[in-house]
Amino acid sequence: MRRALAACAVLALALASAAQTSAERAAALSFDPSRLSRAGEGRWREWKPTDQLPDSVHDALALALTAYRESDYAAALVHLHAALAREPDFPAALYQLGVAHFRLRRYGDAAAVFERFLAVAPGELGATQALAHCYYSLGDYARAQAHYERVLALAPTSAEAWRGLGLALLRQGDPSGALARLERALELKPDHADALAWRAQALFELGRSEQALAALGRAIELGPHEPRPWFLLAQVQSELGREDEAERSRTRFRELSAIEQEVRAQEGLLLHDPRAVEPLARLLKLHRAARNPEGLGEVLARAVRLAPRTLELQCESLEAADALGRRELGAQLAAELEQRFATSRAAWEALERHFAALGDSSAAERARASAARL
Amino acid sequence: MALASLCLASLCLASAQSPQFALDPTALVGVHTTCGARDKRFILEVNGGGLALADFDGDGDLDLVVVDGSTLERAARGEPGFPTRLFLNDGSGHFAAAPAAWAIAPSRWGMGCAVGDVDGDGWLDLYVTHWGRDQLVRNRDGKGFEPRELACLGDERRWGTSAAFLDFDRDGALDLAVANYLTFELGKVPPSGGDCRWKGHDVMCGPQGLAAEHDWLLRNTGEGTFVDATATAKLTPASAAFALGCVTLDYDRDGDADLYVANDSTPNFLWDNQGDGTFREVGLQRGVSHDMNGKEQAGMGIAVGDLNGDGRADLLVTNFSGENNALYLSRGARGFVERSGPAGIGGPSLTRLGWGTGLHDFDLDGRLDAFALNGHVYPQADEPGTDTSYAQPADFYRGLPDGRFAVEPLFEGAPRVLRASTVGDIDGDGDLDLVVLELDGPVLVLRNRARTAADGAGARWLRVELRSKSRNRFALGAQVTAVWSAGQRTAEVRTSGGFQSSVPPEVHFGLGSAEQLERIEVRWPSGRTSVLEHVLGNRLVRIEEPDA
């Protein structure tokens, strides 16, 4: 009886803590970054990223980092606001706050925070590539261009900044300028699939369709699951009079585009509810269908961190581990599946597929028999 | 002296920065529409009503139709919504409620409208889309409307949005395309506050997750009545889409009427008329289904115009916030290419949610301009972190000599939640005015300042009306090419365009300082042609179709 009461007390505490966190998250999400305290004005002018963290913000920043790693950006905002309440304008916290807003796709708020970061630590211009990304995402291509150029003046080997600059120019109707910058990005990072695809776009706009075709071939080789290169490929092939090939590219584009649309929707759900199980399971299925190992690996890592997992998420995680050839993880997930969901036919069917994929026919047969009994 | 010069310079600057349009509060007084409740808990409540400008009473000026909505409470009680109303123009661009003979019985929940002469009697009739059965009202010789009952006007759950008259089978009688959005059933769609979230905020549900409806094609039997030809004309894509805008055009200049449909959250459709009574969907193939990134958008309104004078239709589509308005430039037989970024309108439209739109030469300088009415669907857009807002400024895209647009305010005043628009010269001064609908607010008349501005007196224009010998009396689908010293431009006679709206069946050209056109060439829907030479500007020209 006493043990039951104690358990209830623990549960009540956990619930109270969860409720408080939820309120804090809502408050953090409602906070207008332009209202951040400026009490630290001028204090961090000489700050360097290598400086030791003040003790007063150490724990909050560590918690923010943990939340960030778990893709819980709202929780990261809570901890970063706490850090900034203790040390107003502390540059590292400001910077992370901007990144968290950016990951939440709140580009206006992210830009406001990064602008503040630059006002506080003007020497860290090179670290604010994300500010240029914000302006690009807000459609302010001229300002994005200006900022990419400032970043490159300090960090001329940033392939990402060259790519961004190329895109900003392309959006403003300068395909020649864009091409030069995208080629610079590719000199620095030859296998940058996105830069390759945008280079193809610039070439296409310049009427150099054969070269665009070659660039797209490489982009698709590097990222066959991305719909955009297929979309452009169809246009280029059509321009070259290769209509049959163009139609095949359109078909592949339609398949990948439908998957990508749902991926975006599920990721949008996870942004605001990072522990939601259904979107994770759905994402695993979608990335597997698109044969996207990077996406599958990222979502699988998130799914594995979640516990307890639902039957659907456990099965999808197992399928994902098998698809990625991660045998050790697959074995662990299969054992958990057998242990926790032994009365589920779907679990045994997943196990049968798992063992069959491994070539373990006797285990697969045993799983099939178990499924049949249910 | 220095101070005087400075003041003069300031005045010049102020004049140059005045918006192209000015709100005229006296032109239409006290006309409001309703589309549900202001908290917008259901998708049915967010799109607003429709507008049309056309000369219904035959007195030579443009009259105004306002399509009104309803409330969920009225719908739940089985009561009709607010009626569609006609306002007659006194010739100066001031509108007053039409007499009772023009009254239209209220139906369930009005959305949009289309204007066309369905019976070939020379008088313009009206089609009104609804959530529920649509309405067709016949114009009785300019003396009033009378309802026409048709079997093919839908059921109580179907939600129609825009509509477009066209003669797809070239039999001389106007057929009708209807854009359908989705199936909405009271009590079956969850309200906001459930699982439907946008940028972390609880919002109304839809359209994703609701059942999209196929669009319709209604064939005119020649008797002024219609039969459903959707299936026989193969206007049935593999999956239905959430259609909001539709417009007719002959994009490939093969002489038959094609159809472009803007879909919400799904790729847009370009229905290529095969010339044998059927259509084929070629949106992706022709480059008008997605944005430049290959992403489907949430298409709302559509504008059509020959931007570069190549004789082919270019398209402007307004879209959701976070998506650019798409500008599809024609590349001849190869289709279109999306160029909103280089044109200067892609970036500025990313934070807007656009609806009514149009491509016309509003400032009469010989180049096409455009506009986009904006306003979000979610009142929650005013919450933190959305990068947009519920009420938004309306944008004027002024055409520049280099093919780009300068983005300017459309008119002065605070941001509003705007929806439908219609375009026409309501005061007969030669420039094109606008009527716009504010969601749950007034219908506003925006007068064009092109002819009244200090430097506008010299700007010249030409309006062209066509009269066909077929039952398609207003020659919808005819191509009119104006050639003058500074260039040439082709326009198609159509009444469809914008969002849930209809425009007058005529074409309008701005001529800059050119006093006359070298010639006007007309390609009639019948295939006949007319050529007029040395046509003086600043006038309305009516051209009759020649005998065979």
Side-chain angles (χ1 to χ4, degrees), chain A residues 117-131:
Chain A
F117 168 79
L118 276 187
V120 170
E124 294 306 311
L125 182 65
T128 62
Q129 194 161 266
L131 178 56

Side-chain angles (χ1 to χ4, degrees), chain B residues 201-224:
Chain B
H201 305 291
D202 290 335
V203 294
M204 57 86 176
C205 295
Q208 299 290 8
L210 303 180
E213 281 268 0
H214 279 291
D215 302 325
W216 292 342
L217 184 68
L218 306 181
R219 186 175 63 76
N220 192 330
T221 60
E223 311 294 321

Side-chain angles (χ1 to χ4, degrees), chain A residues 37-103:
Chain A
S37 168
R38 299 187 173 201
E41 192 92 51
R43 186 176 160 200
W44 307 103
R45 190 153 285 273
E46 302 304 321
W47 175 83
K48 294 277 177 296
T50 49
D51 289 354
Q52 194 165 1
L53 281 180
D55 288 343
S56 54
V57 298
H58 185 276
D59 290 351
L61 284 182
L63 287 168
L65 198 61
T66 303
Y68 186 88
R69 283 188 186 134
E70 291 177 355
S71 306
D72 189 349
Y73 305 115
L77 292 184
V78 172
H79 299 305
L80 291 165
H81 284 161
L84 287 164
R86 285 177 207 135
E87 295 289 353
D89 270 350
F90 179 59
L94 274 179
Y95 185 81
Q96 292 302 329
L97 188 66
V99 172
H101 277 298
F102 186 84
R103 296 306 299 259

